[in-house]
Each structure stands twice: as structure tokens, then as C-alpha cells.
Amino acid sequence: MGHYSFYISTLVVYFGIDLLSAWSLNLQYGYTGVINFAYVVFQATGAYVAGVVVLGSDTGAGSYQHYILGAHLPFPVPLLAATFAGALLSGVIGLFAVRRIRRDYQAAVMLILSLILLQLVQSDTAIFNGQDGITAIPHPLQSALGLSLSTYQWVYALWVLAICAVVYVVVQKLCRSSWGRSLRAIRDQEDAAASLGLNGTKLRLEVLIIGGAIAGLSGGLLVEYIGAWSPGAWGYAETFVIFTAVLVGGVGNNRAMLLGTLIVPIIVLEVPSFLPTIVYPGLIDAIEWIIVGLGWMGFLLVRPRGLIPERRFHAPRRLSSAVDRVGLLGVIAPVTANVGAPVDATAPAAGARAERGREEE
Amino acid sequence: MNILIQTIGFGIVSASIIAVGAMGFTIQFGLTNVLNLSFGGVMTVSAFIIYLTEQQAGINVWLGLLLAGVGAAALTVFLGKTVFKVYARRGTHLFEMVMVTLGLSLVIEYAVDAISRDQVYSISFDQGASYHIGAVTLSESQIIIVGIGIVVFLALEGLLHLTRLGKALRAMAVDPGLARSCGIPTNRIVNATWLISGFLCGVAGVIYVINSLSVSYTTGMLFLPSVIAAAILGGVGSPRGAILAALLLGLVTQLVAAAGLSAYSSMAAFGVLVIVLLARPSGVLSAAARKVELTL
């Protein structure tokens, strides 16, 4: 029983952390169309920062690891530091990465960044202890609460789920606000949205920063749970897992992230760890990655909007009934109302996307 | 001073390696508008072909190079005609296409990982005698690499500007619809592009591992950033731009490494790319500003 309890609580923690990541990427890709192939970099930033600010000054446990920013900070501060670090790095990178350049260039620049920063941290051992990474990060509050490890596992799982609930409420509120509507407007028709005074670059930057904050938070939660972090944990393929979860669940639908996260990181990647080694160690991992890659390509081909796609946005009743009476949705609404709300009304002109059936109920 | 000149010599060697890949990448990107991240995966395959032929089977290195190039070309044409074409028919957007190519890259990479048993293989390659050219000392294989870079560049320029195929390629890169209505067999031209791009990709993968002396399933992804950076920096579809950008990146990388900051050398190359994106974004402007469609 003990083993299963441990395993299941671990899965719950991973599920919560991947869910946070999926919401972050969904906000960026699903709502705004930013293809952030460097997602895992921001998660790693949060993880490293949360780690080094509890490990104490440079020497670490037994002075075998070297890193910057060493400190001894009490419990909730490392998580806040991780969140802030993720947001800060996103802001810096966003200054050049989300300008008005072609989206495929954006994606390529992000991917290059992810690959190069990994090489940098691997080869400069003074930043975060290079290839070996940082270890011996204590579980927060375990001794203060006086819990056994098996109980602590479940307490931590609940803590992660509670954070998920908070983040969900925040993200959902953001996405339904007029700000969220302007995100979808610049995603679907940047020119039309710009003509209404929306600044696409600024919105993309804001989304990158908010997503980066969530990424940093998720990294902090992860490192406090597993107690170690090294370059092996943040290859570019890790971004891919979360991206696949978004694609499978439903692009632009925060609730569908539950489904996507359950299927991709948990069922496809975690459950096979039960299987015995076949042929040589590592073969199952490779096969898992191939399955993820094929799943990703398959969904892009067959259901690029996911299993439960974004639902069509309905204008508030007051506005829509007024428009019904006037009957000039596409003409009057964008002009009369403030930015955001009625921009979806330009959807009929949105061309390709609408043709592909995104707007259907 | 001698160290500086020597560093420039090494910079030219790494520039030649990057340039061959970047020219293959850019010519295909310019024509089809697919930002093909699976280029890295194909490079890994070609690196393993040279490992298996030259290192294991003992085949002559030039023949191995040819086999790797042909293998990579065949794989690229196959992917272009099957995978990419299917997505293009479905009306996949440009930005979704880049996601498709990354997925493909992951699949190829981990297929290679599964076949290569998750190991890193070292390549023992006789670098040949050392030659002194002024203050620069280069090994025979390094000189050959530079030679390959120059030959590929001249051949590509000749192809683009002196042959009918090249004329058709340039016409299609500008306006595929108009090219088609002028009677250019666009389908065949696209095939030719996949073929050329794949061959160069294979050659680049081979000279990369001959220089770095090891091969594993991550090889392509280690090399890909420089290739894409050079292609974007040089302007899409321009071999001349690609070779200039490769020179710049190669020199910056080697100079930073020579200054004792080798951990930061690829970061410096990325910095150059960022500066260009900020200062001169022509050619990288949003698709809305410049009408771009998939040509497959």
C-alpha cells in the first residue's frame, strides 16, 4: 500500500505542476498565438531560483555545488522568488522575441534560445553548478510540520492542487476579461485589432510575462518536491510535452487542459515507468517520446484545435440583444463599444481561421 | 596578434560548417516557406550514416560523404512529398507548419535514439598533416572543410544564376503562382529544392561530426541553432547572405571562445541574431506585412 500511496501522490503533484504549465502555454499559444518553444526555460529559471535561495550561500550542502544568488529564505519566499524570476526573464526575452515578426520566426527564435541557454548553463558551472545541477533542496516545512514522508507527500499534493485552483481562477478571469478578448483579437486578426487601437506587441509581452510567472511558480513547486534540478530536466523536448497536452486537450480552453494533462504527461509519460526494461534501459523513454511526437503531429493534422476546442465567445446579453435589434453586428459593434468586447464580431472577416471551422459551436 | 589570426582561421572553419547547413536551409525556406526544424533530425541521420559507413564499414570518407548526402536528400524528399505535402493540403498555417516540423524532428531524433541504444559514439578521424598559412595553422581536414564550404557556395550560386533550374527556382521564390502560369513545372522545382537542401543538410551533418568527433542522437539539435541563426541573419533564400552570416557567427563564436568565455560563445552568436532582429527586421516582418504562403 505504501508504495502505491507514494506513487499516486507523486502523480498528483506532477499532474498539478503540468496543469499549471499547460495553462501558461494555453494562455500564450491558445489565446494569443505566441509559440513559446522556450517554455521550459522559464520553468527551469523558477526551479533554479527557488533552489538556490534556500540552499544558503554559494557553498551549498558540503560545499560541492556552486551557484549564484545563494541565500536562506523561509518557506513561501522561494516560491515568490521563482515566480518573479520567471516573469522577469520572460520580460527580458519578450522585448525582442514577441515583436511583430512572423510567428514561425518567433517560434524558431524561442527554440534556439531554449537550446542555447541549456548549453550555457551546462558549460558555465558558476551559474547553477553546470551539468551536475543543484541538489539537496529541503522539503519546505517538513520538519516544522513534523510529518512523516508519506503524509507529507499528500500534504504537498494538496498544496499543489490548491495553488492550481488559485491559478485557474486567475487565468480564467483574465481570459474572460476584455483584456482576454483583445488577446484573441490580435491572435485572429492582428491588423483589424490594431485598427481598434490594440497594441499586439505589448499584449504579447504581457502574456509572455504572465505565462512566465506561472512557469516560474511551477518550476519552484517542482524543485521543492523533487529536491534537485539539473540540465537533464529541461531539454527542449520537455516544452513539447506540455505543448502536446495543450493540443490534445483543446487550444484556448482552460478546462480542457485537465484532459490534455491527464493524457499526455501522466498516462503516456508516467504510467509506462511501471513497465520492466525491454532490450536496454532508455528504449521505453525513446518510444514514449516518439509517441508524443506522433501524437503532436497527428493532432496538428486531424484536430489542430484539440479534443475540446475553445468555445465561441458570446457577447454579454445586453450587448447582443441590442445588436440583434440593430442587426449590424460587424459594423456598429467594433466602433461603439470600448476595445476588446466586440472584436470577435470581426470574425466573419477573419478568413482562413474561420474557414477551418474554429468558430463553429 | 598571432592568436587573433589563428582564431580567425578557426572562425572560418566553423563558418564553413555552418554555411553549408545554412545554405541548404535557406534555399528550401526561401522557396517553400517552411521553416524546417526537422533539418536537425536529418543532420543527425546523416551523421550516423557517416559513422556507419566510414567508421564501421571502413568505406572511403568521400564515398561516405556522398552516401550521407544522398541518404539525407532521399529522406528530405520523402518527408517533403509525404508529410509536409499532406499538411499543406489540409490548409495548415505557416506557424502550425513550424510546429509540425519540430514534431517531426522529435520523432526522427528519438527514433535514432532508440536505434543507437541511447549512446554517444566517438569518431576517430585522421585530421591529416598540419599546414601553416601565414600565422594560421590548420589541419588537412579543416582545410578540406573550408574547401567544401567554398565549393558548395560557388556551385549553388552557379546553379541559381547560370542554369534554367536556377532561374525557375528564383522565379518561384518570388511568386509561385505567376511562375506556374508561366509554365514552370512548380512541382518538379519543389522536388529539386528538397533534393538540394537535403543533400547540403547531409554534407553539413558529416563535416560537423568530422570536426566535433562524436555523434549521438542530439547532434543535430546541437548544430541546428547556428544553422537557423545564419539562415535568418543572412536573409531568407539567399546563399550569399547565408555565407556572410555564417562567417560573422563563426568569427564571433571563436573570438568569444578565444577570450576565455567558451561557455558564452554560442550565446554571443545568439546575441548577434537578436541585434539583427531588433535593428533590421526586414525579411522577418510579420506575415501580414509580407504576403507569404506555403509552396509545396
Side-chain angles (χ1 to χ4, degrees):
Chain A
M1 191 59 207
H3 290 306
Y4 285 112
S5 163
F6 191 87
Y7 182 67
I8 290 169
S9 57
T10 305
L11 282 189
V12 172
V13 172
Y14 285 175
F15 177 75
I17 287 164
D18 288 332
L19 197 54
L20 290 176
S21 307
W23 281 327
S24 167
L25 265 190
N26 189 35
L27 182 66
Q28 295 175 344
Y29 174 67
Y31 282 86
T32 325
V34 176
I35 305 178
N36 182 3
F37 279 160
Y39 174 80
V40 76
V41 170
F42 307 117
Q43 189 175 44
T45 309
Y48 277 127
V49 168
V52 294
V53 297
V54 289
L55 276 179
S57 56
D58 185 27
T59 51
S63 73
Y64 58 88
Q65 28 187 353
H66 295 281
Y67 42 79
I68 53 170
L69 299 172
H72 269 304
L73 297 178
F75 160 61
V77 185
L79 275 186
L80 297 177
T83 310
F84 179 74
L88 185 69
L89 185 68
S90 303
V92 173
I93 287 170
L95 285 179
F96 60 82
V98 294
R99 287 155 56 92
R100 198 161 180 205
I101 55 178
R102 269 171 58 178
R103 275 202 247 172
D104 47 351
Y105 280 78
Q106 260 175 14
V109 167
M110 284 302 209
L111 179 71
I112 295 177
L113 190 73
S114 181
L115 295 167
I116 283 182
L117 283 176
L118 184 69
Q119 283 180 32
L120 176 69
V121 173
Q122 270 175 338
S123 44
D124 189 342
T125 51
I127 309 177
F128 292 123
N129 207 32
Q131 182 65 43
D132 296 335
I134 51 172
T135 55
I137 299 147
H139 281 150
L141 296 186
Q142 191 186 354
S143 50
L145 292 172
L147 296 171
S148 69
L149 185 59
S150 53
T151 323
Y152 184 80
Q153 288 266 348
W154 283 104
V155 173
Y156 200 87
L158 288 178
W159 162 238
V160 170
L161 291 182
I163 289 183
C164 282
V166 173
V167 169
Y168 174 75
V169 171
V170 172
V171 168
Q172 198 69 340
K173 265 252 184 289
L174 281 174
C175 291
R176 291 192 171 161
S177 66
S178 70
W179 181 78
R181 290 191 292 273
S182 37
L183 297 183
R184 279 173 285 171
I186 60 158
R187 175 194 69 191
D188 291 342
Q189 274 291 299
E190 183 157 4
D191 287 334
S195 75
L196 298 171
L198 294 180
N199 183 345
T201 306
K202 181 165 158 280
L203 284 167
R204 276 191 293 269
L205 183 61
E206 287 165 1
V207 159
L208 202 65
I209 291 174
I210 294 172
I214 300 174
L217 175 67
S218 73
L221 282 172
L222 191 54
V223 82
E224 288 185 345
Y225 180 72
I226 54 182
W229 194 261
S230 71
W234 54 292
Y236 83 98
E238 303 291 334
T239 305
F240 208 88
V241 175
I242 310 297
F243 234 118
T244 311
V246 174
L247 273 185
V248 170
V251 176
N253 182 347
N254 286 326
R255 269 179 230 163
M257 293 305 112
L258 289 162
L259 180 66
T261 310
L262 188 67
I263 295 176
V264 184
I266 302 301
I267 294 179
V268 177
L269 290 179
E270 291 299 336
V271 172
S273 54
F274 264 136
L275 298 175
T277 302
I278 49 166
V279 191
Y280 64 89
L283 181 60
I284 290 183
D285 290 339
I287 292 172
E288 283 170 13
W289 286 111
I290 293 173
I291 292 171
V292 171
L294 289 176
W296 157 279
M297 291 176 66
F299 266 85
L300 277 173
L301 183 66
V302 181
R303 274 195 88 96
R305 308 297 303 172
L307 289 175
I308 318 171
E310 175 183 354
R311 286 166 62 191
R312 186 177 174 178
F313 169 72
H314 292 280
R317 181 153 299 164
R318 200 154 31 82
L319 177 64
S320 54
S321 61
V323 171
D324 282 343
R325 279 200 297 281
V326 180
L328 283 173
L329 185 65
V331 182
I332 290 180
V335 184
T336 50
N338 212 342
V339 269
V343 168
D344 258 30
T346 60
R353 269 186 175 276
E355 282 164 28
R356 297 190 64 200
R358 199 185 60 74
E359 298 295 326
E360 68 203 19
E361 287 285 342
Chain B
M1 192 58 201
N2 276 350
I3 292 175
L4 182 67
I5 294 173
Q6 178 67 48
T7 306
I8 291 174
F10 286 150
I12 291 173
V13 174
S14 32
S16 308
I17 301 172
I18 299 170
V20 174
M23 284 188 277
F25 187 89
T26 201
I27 187 172
Q28 175 263 316
F29 187 22
L31 193 88
T32 62
N33 280 315
V34 178
L35 207 165
N36 185 3
L37 299 175
S38 68
F39 208 77
V42 178
M43 277 194 288
T44 311
V45 172
S46 72
F48 269 99
I49 294 178
I50 194 75
Y51 176 77
L52 291 174
T53 54
E54 204 268 338
Q55 297 281 308
Q56 295 294 313
I59 292 172
N60 174 289
V61 64
W62 290 101
L63 190 58
L65 181 70
L66 188 69
L67 285 174
V70 171
L75 180 58
T76 308
V77 171
F78 171 75
L79 294 176
K81 292 280 77 167
T82 55
V83 180
F84 294 151
K85 190 128 195 179
V86 168
Y87 283 91
R89 280 218 192 99
R90 293 277 302 198
T92 302
H93 291 262
L94 272 179
F95 70 88
E96 285 169 340
M97 209 62 187
V98 74
M99 293 163 67
V100 172
T101 64
L102 185 66
L104 195 56
S105 187
L106 193 88
V107 172
I108 297 174
E109 191 177 313
Y110 280 93
V112 172
D113 181 35
I115 297 166
S116 70
R117 303 178 84 94
D118 202 26
Q119 302 285 320
V120 179
Y121 299 87
S122 68
I123 289 182
S124 57
F125 190 77
D126 182 14
Q127 299 291 330
S130 293
Y131 291 91
H132 302 278
I133 308 159
V136 183
T137 308
L138 293 176
S139 69
E140 193 181 336
S141 66
Q142 283 175 319
I143 293 172
I144 290 175
I145 285 173
V146 175
I148 289 176
I150 295 170
V151 167
V152 166
F153 172 64
L154 292 178
L156 207 53
E157 280 289 306
L159 176 81
L160 283 178
H161 294 281
L162 301 176
T163 65
R164 282 175 66 88
L165 174 63
K167 206 177 221 175
L169 274 170
R170 284 184 291 139
M172 266 193 76
V174 177
D175 190 334
L178 192 56
R180 194 177 296 121
S181 60
C182 290
I184 292 174
T186 48
N187 215 6
R188 291 223 303 268
I189 304 295
V190 171
N191 287 352
T193 316
W194 288 121
L195 204 64
I196 297 167
S197 157
F199 185 78
L200 294 183
C201 174
V203 173
V206 169
I207 59 180
Y208 178 75
V209 292
I210 281 181
N211 201 50
S212 69
L213 297 177
S214 75
V215 55
S216 77
Y217 73 97
T218 57
T219 298
M221 273 300 172
L222 287 177
F223 184 31
L224 191 66
S226 327
V227 169
I228 298 182
I232 293 181
L233 203 56
V236 174
S238 155
R240 279 176 224 186
I243 208 159
L244 285 177
L247 265 180
L248 183 64
L249 292 180
L251 289 177
V252 167
T253 318
Q254 292 296 333
L255 286 172
V256 172
L261 296 167
S262 54
Y264 292 87
S265 56
S266 47
M267 201 65 210
F270 184 71
V272 175
L273 178 65
V274 168
I275 292 168
V276 171
L277 281 180
L278 288 174
R280 188 187 147 276
S282 67
V284 293
L285 282 175
S286 91
R290 199 165 67 91
K291 185 117 181 75
V292 181
E293 280 166 1
L294 287 172
T295 313
L296 282 174

